[in-house]
């Protein structure tokens, strides 16, 4: 199954020339070429034939895994940052889809940035509950000294390139300098213990649902 794309004429931001580009809107997991371009940062980045400038085209993206009933979206947030309406629309769409097709409700997530989009896809493919990942991030923010890790200054991003199965790695992204400045390592067994604790407790599972009631799942929703 191929991803969905369409030819568009897009003005080059550098020289203004119209560039004909095949812009992807829907990505499927078995399309290796498109997935590779996505994770390499080359997706929807046409080259202007006039000035030879390569530029990124900002457009909504959907990752859709039909077999595993998963929909992950990347959409630009409103100017005021309030995504409530977008969340409600996506959640209603997933519910309506399940009712109309007589299937289980799809796994749905809304993201507003490319790093978050890649993280959600990676966690889903790795079989990791992103709600527990964000919960684990909240514990790191609370337990590590604020001079080293601050919710106001930093973001924690899951390292999907890590191949060491004995640990989880989170890059520490500094919002001021706009780059990763260090990393935090968490023993995988600690995370597995967390998984077992929540799996064994109805009360904890209900708490997890209440912490993340919508399709936006992020540590920022837990820590203000």
């Amino acid at each position: 199954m191929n991803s969905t794309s369409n030819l568009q004429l897009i003005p080059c931001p550098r020289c203004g020339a119209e560039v004909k580009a095949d812009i992807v809107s829907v990505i499927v997991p078995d399309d290796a070429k498109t997935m590779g371009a996505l994770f390499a940062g080359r997706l929807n980045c046409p080259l202007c034939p006039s000035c030879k400038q390569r530029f990124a085209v900002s457009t909504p993206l959907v990752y859709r895994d039909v077999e595993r009933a998963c929909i992950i979206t990347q959409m630009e947030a409103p100017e005021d940052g309030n995504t409530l309406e977008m969340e409600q629309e996506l959640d209603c769409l997933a519910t309506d889809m399940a009712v109309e097709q007589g299937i289980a409700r799809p796994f749905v997530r809304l993201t507003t940035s490319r790093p978050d989009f890649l993280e959600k896809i990676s966690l889903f493919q790795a079989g990791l509950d992103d709600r527990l990942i964000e919960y684990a991030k909240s514990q790191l923010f609370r337990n590590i000294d604020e001079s080293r890790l601050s919710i106001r200054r930093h973001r924690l991003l899951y390292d999907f390139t890590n191949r060491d199965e004995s640990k989880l790695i989170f890059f520490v992204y500094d919002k001021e300098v706009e780059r990763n400045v260090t990393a935090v390592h968490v023993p995988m067994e600690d995370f597995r213990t967390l998984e077992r604790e929540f799996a064994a407790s109805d009360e904890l599972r209900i708490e997890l649902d209440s912490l993340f009631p919508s399709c936006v799942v992020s540590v920022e929703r837990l820590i203000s």
Side-chain angles (χ1 to χ4, degrees):
M1 184 176 181
N2 294 324
S3 300
T4 303
S5 63
N6 59 86
L7 282 174
Q8 298 182 28
L9 285 176
I10 302 166
C12 172
R14 181 178 183 181
C15 70
E18 286 196 331
V19 179
K20 183 181 290 186
D22 197 21
I23 302 301
V24 174
S25 56
V26 179
I27 306 164
V28 294
D30 53 357
D31 185 341
K33 182 178 179 180
T34 301
M35 288 292 293
L38 172 68
F39 278 86
R42 299 192 305 268
L43 188 69
N44 294 340
C45 294
L47 178 68
C48 176
S50 297
C51 68
K52 309 306 179 184
Q53 173 77 19
R54 190 172 293 279
F55 60 94
V57 178
S58 179
T59 186
L61 284 173
V62 176
Y63 170 87
R64 181 179 295 157
D65 187 334
V66 175
E67 291 186 3
R68 298 178 64 189
C70 168
I71 301 172
I72 301 173
T73 65
Q74 179 195 339
M75 302 177 68
E76 187 174 349
E79 290 186 6
D80 63 3
N82 188 344
T83 61
L84 180 59
E85 185 174 339
M86 295 163 60
E87 295 172 44
Q88 292 174 337
E89 289 180 358
L90 186 56
D91 280 326
C92 288
L93 176 64
T95 301
D96 292 344
M97 184 185 303
V99 172
E100 291 172 2
Q101 300 180 15
I103 59 175
R105 188 178 186 279
F107 172 95
V108 290
R109 291 293 183 263
L110 169 65
T111 67
T112 57
S113 73
R114 184 60 55 87
D116 287 338
F117 186 58
L118 297 181
E119 180 177 68
K120 294 303 181 188
I121 293 172
S122 300
L123 291 172
F124 179 77
Q125 292 183 335
L128 296 173
D129 189 329
D130 65 326
R131 299 173 304 168
L132 287 179
I133 289 289
E134 298 303 313
Y135 181 84
K137 288 180 185 180
S138 74
Q139 300 308 300
L140 292 172
F141 276 116
R142 289 187 172 110
N143 295 324
I144 296 178
D145 189 271
E146 191 172 359
S147 63
R148 297 170 51 207
L149 187 65
S150 166
I151 191 70
R152 291 185 294 275
R153 179 169 178 174
H154 300 118
R155 298 191 64 215
L156 287 173
L157 299 173
Y158 170 69
D159 177 11
F160 51 77
T161 67
N162 171 44
R163 296 296 177 261
D164 186 344
E165 297 182 357
S166 69
K167 59 190 175 185
L168 285 171
I169 299 178
F170 297 103
F171 290 121
V172 179
Y173 179 85
D174 190 310
K175 300 174 187 177
E176 292 184 7
V177 299
E178 298 183 341
R179 61 181 174 86
N180 297 331
V181 292
T182 186
V184 176
H185 294 204
V186 176
M188 180 59 81
E189 184 53 34
D190 288 357
F191 182 74
R192 295 304 183 193
T193 298
L194 185 69
E195 285 183 321
R196 290 191 289 269
E197 289 175 352
F198 274 82
S201 170
D202 290 339
E203 183 177 340
L204 286 177
R205 289 198 297 274
I206 292 172
E207 178 186 353
L208 195 61
D209 290 338
S210 67
L211 290 175
F212 303 106
S214 80
C215 56
V216 172
V217 173
S218 70
V219 66
E220 285 78 14
R221 291 287 176 97
L222 298 183
I223 304 176
S224 57

